[in-house]
Amino acid sequence: MSEEVIMPDMNQINACLDKIRPYIQQDGGDIELMGVDENAIVYVAFRGACAGCMMAAEDFSSGIKLLLMDEVPGIRDVLLIG
């Protein structure tokens, strides 16, 4: 028997990203929601200065991913793509 997947709310995901977006934009970057798959895995990508920054992956795993998973019910994982 497979576990039922509860899909996270796209509006909640975007609202959460909007909370942290100003801090990312201060450094000349941005973050974009790329989508959510059928397994409730969220895909995001850095844009601008963050796209090639060595610190971006650390900021993602220690902050952005944890915030999304904590604030938005149903998210099973958050992956950085791009």
Side-chain angles (χ1 to χ4, degrees):
M1 210 175 213
S2 65
E3 185 180 330
E4 183 181 346
V5 176
I6 299 168
M7 294 304 292
D9 184 284
M10 296 294 280
N11 291 326
Q12 286 183 307
I13 295 170
N14 280 310
C16 188
L17 291 175
D18 285 344
K19 288 182 188 178
I20 55 179
R21 186 168 275 121
Y23 301 102
I24 298 169
Q25 290 173 340
Q26 283 179 342
D27 292 329
D30 206 348
I31 189 164
E32 181 179 354
L33 174 62
M34 304 305 290
V36 179
D37 72 12
E38 66 277 357
N39 295 312
I41 297 173
V42 175
Y43 296 89
V44 296
F46 282 123
R47 299 292 182 229
C50 293
C53 177
M54 298 277 289
M55 293 299 295
E58 186 176 319
D59 291 343
F60 169 76
S61 62
S62 65
I64 296 167
K65 178 177 180 172
L66 294 177
L67 183 68
L68 280 167
M69 291 185 75
D70 186 53
E71 290 200 6
V72 182
I75 293 178
R76 290 193 171 180
D77 201 2
V78 182
L79 300 177
L80 181 62
I81 60 173

